[in-house]
Amino acid sequence: MGFSKLVNTIFRSGKRVAATTDAIKTSHSANSVCNGEEKLKSLSIQRNNGYASEATFETRAFKLHNLEEGPSTTVVLSKEDALKYYGQMYMIRRMETAAGNLYKEKVIRGFCHLYSGQEACAVGMRAAMRPEDSCITAYRCHGWTYLMGVPVQAVLSELTGRSSGCARGKGGSMHMYGKNFYGGNGIVGAQVPLGVGIGFAAKYNGTKGACIALYGDGAANQGQLFEVYNMAKLWNSPCIFVCENNGYGMGTSVERASANTNYYTRGDFVPGIWVDGMDVLAVREATRFALEHTSSGKGPILLETATYRYSGHSMSDPGTSYRSRDEIAEVRQTRDPITSLREKILTTELASVEELKEIEGKIRTEVDAATKLAKTDKEIAVEELTADIYANPQNLTTVRNTIPLAELTHKRLGKAVNM
């Protein structure tokens, strides 16, 4: 329910594999005496040419709002990118599974929102981003944190409140940060105005970058979103609004929550695009188009990625009181982003089953090791709880305590991010 069929496959040499293999055989017969190094090189060439280096696919059609033309539905995928995207999505899925288990073991406390099922959205957007671009998202941010350069171990340790976490264990599930990543935000929809500000700063400072500001369908009815649609268009701020429509705002379906469920049209004068959010390639192409749009001075654009979350809204939500288990199972079987990309890779012979299994094995090993450290690493000392609140310690010398007239000292220990 699905994905379109393969259109064409392009081989690395520009010729068919059989022709390359014949050429190698001819070379071997002409040079019957060769040393070990030459044999190794020939075998490597034959092995490399045994698989396609590029494949061309056709994505589902994009729906457009206030645009005369949209992204191309014909996309090219190289072997290198295919394995990269597969590994990234598999890593996020595995990491979120580990996070869910840690929560059930009561090692993770508080709120915890998992991204399982929505991996293609983040991976596709990250694939299109340039070094000067930035991102800000909501509280379902573990996958984005990893993609923006924070190691898996630092993500999981942050979830468990340990000192090796990316925010020293003080931020937890909803407050993780990295270079050009302005974190998750625990207040519904509040990150979107901040994203417009980040985009405006990029324009003001002449960095030529854009900011991707993500929110869910549950936040799409927030009044502040409509305010910043208007502000962003007035200022032509290079901001890409992204509504990750996973079908449910907490336990309320989009049909029960919104009179207009075409979220990509909600920006009024802001152009919009509907994207198949379960196809990493469609998301990548739509994001590339959006970045070109903002870079050309046309101002903001809105993407709606149609996706799905397998888990509940948060770990406290079983996710089955407002939807059936059959519905979840059907999406897993027919639209899963990881399975779909795996099938594309194997069908077009971009890689072998063994190569994919090797990637999966390395990821499992890395996540298992990170999980172990996240459970055993030490917590920060009490004195550090009031450190690094402000980038400049002079702005805050003391911090109010729970006890009157017993202020705590503010100090600078770490390096401020994105300053």
Side-chain angles (χ1 to χ4, degrees):
M1 141 178 177
F3 297 96
S4 303
K5 296 181 179 179
L6 165 71
V7 175
N8 186 28
T9 303
I10 308 169
F11 295 97
R12 187 181 304 272
S13 61
K15 301 177 181 179
R16 295 191 179 277
V17 178
T20 307
T21 306
D22 289 339
I24 292 171
K25 288 179 179 178
T26 304
S27 175
H28 272 290
S29 61
N31 299 280
S32 57
V33 180
C34 57
N35 57 34
E37 183 180 351
E38 289 173 325
K39 286 182 179 179
L40 182 61
K41 184 178 179 181
S42 298
L43 288 172
S44 175
I45 293 172
Q46 187 174 6
R47 177 177 175 275
N48 288 340
N49 281 276
Y51 292 96
S53 64
E54 286 184 346
T56 305
F57 300 93
E58 196 74 17
T59 70
R60 291 178 65 180
F62 299 98
K63 300 176 186 177
L64 308 179
H65 169 69
N66 279 349
L67 287 169
E68 293 184 0
E69 60 180 1
S72 173
T73 56
T74 302
V75 298
V76 177
L77 178 64
S78 68
K79 175 174 181 174
E80 181 183 0
D81 285 343
L83 296 182
K84 179 182 178 182
Y85 304 159
Y86 183 80
Q88 288 175 331
M89 289 198 292
Y90 192 86
M91 176 67 85
I92 294 172
R93 180 73 59 86
R94 194 76 185 180
M95 180 177 67
E96 293 292 60
T97 300
N101 292 335
L102 288 169
Y103 193 94
K104 292 171 185 176
E105 295 172 19
K106 298 184 178 180
V107 180
I108 295 175
R109 301 282 184 159
F111 294 104
C112 186
H113 305 82
L114 303 182
Y115 204 61
S116 302
Q118 300 182 210
E119 297 90 351
C121 296
V123 173
M125 281 181 260
R126 185 69 181 98
M129 288 174 69
R130 305 158 302 187
E132 62 269 25
D133 297 322
S134 55
C135 172
I136 187 168
T137 187
Y139 36 74
R140 209 178 298 278
C141 65
H142 311 157
W144 265 109
T145 306
Y146 159 69
L147 291 174
M148 293 302 288
V150 176
V152 172
Q153 183 270 314
V155 174
L156 291 175
S157 291
E158 186 60 36
L159 286 168
T160 59
R162 310 294 169 155
S163 60
S164 57
C166 58
R168 300 285 291 167
K170 295 190 290 184
S173 175
M174 297 188 285
H175 305 288
M176 301 180 184
Y177 309 92
K179 179 176 172 54
N180 287 353
F181 179 59
Y182 292 82
N185 198 302
I187 302 174
V188 176
Q191 72 279 5
V192 184
L194 299 178
V196 174
I198 295 167
F200 181 77
K203 180 180 179 180
Y204 185 83
N205 293 323
T207 66
K208 299 183 179 179
C211 181
I212 297 176
L214 299 106
Y215 56 96
D217 54 277
N221 295 324
Q222 287 273 318
Q224 58 188 326
L225 265 73
F226 294 92
E227 291 181 47
V228 293
Y229 289 158
N230 181 60
M231 294 168 70
K233 186 58 181 175
L234 279 174
W235 300 338
N236 270 345
S237 177
C239 181
I240 301 173
F241 300 103
V242 180
C243 176
E244 292 184 286
N245 180 4
N246 60 26
Y248 300 92
M250 297 187 71
T252 305
S253 67
V254 295
E255 291 79 13
R256 293 178 59 209
S258 301
N260 178 10
T261 58
N262 295 317
Y263 294 103
Y264 69 101
T265 67
R266 292 277 199 97
D268 194 8
F269 283 95
V270 177
I273 304 174
W274 179 94
V275 188
D276 180 3
M278 303 298 269
D279 183 351
V280 65
L281 303 181
V283 176
R284 184 191 68 179
E285 294 308 304
T287 308
R288 284 176 175 172
F289 180 91
L291 287 170
E292 290 175 5
H293 178 92
T294 58
S295 298
S296 61
K298 297 178 182 177
I301 191 169
L302 196 163
L303 304 182
E304 176 191 345
T305 58
T307 184
Y308 197 83
R309 58 168 164 81
Y310 296 145
S311 302
H313 170 73
S314 67
M315 286 300 297
S316 60
D317 168 26
T320 53
S321 60
Y322 49 86
R323 58 182 181 174
S324 67
R325 296 183 187 275
D326 290 341
E327 176 185 308
I328 302 170
E330 181 184 1
V331 176
R332 280 186 178 274
Q333 293 170 7
T334 60
R335 296 178 58 210
D336 183 79
I338 300 176
T339 303
S340 297
L341 181 60
R342 181 186 176 91
E343 289 176 356
K344 285 183 172 73
I345 291 172
L346 295 177
T347 301
T348 57
E349 296 185 336
L350 283 169
S352 64
V353 174
E354 289 71 25
E355 287 178 280
L356 297 183
K357 285 184 177 180
E358 182 181 1
I359 291 172
E360 294 166 3
K362 289 180 179 178
I363 289 172
R364 285 195 296 269
T365 300
E366 183 178 349
V367 173
D368 290 347
T371 303
K372 184 177 180 180
L373 183 59
K375 296 169 74 171
T376 58
D377 191 27
K378 66 180 187 304
E379 298 177 356
I380 60 172
V382 176
E383 302 80 49
E384 194 179 332
L385 288 175
T386 55
D388 298 328
I389 297 175
Y390 279 78
N392 185 356
Q394 294 178 354
N395 292 336
L396 186 71
T397 56
T398 59
V399 181
R400 185 178 63 184
N401 199 347
T402 55
I403 304 171
L405 304 178
E407 287 83 4
L408 301 169
T409 303
H410 175 249
K411 52 189 174 181
R412 172 80 174 272
L413 295 177
K415 182 180 180 181
V417 179
N418 295 320
M419 292 294 292

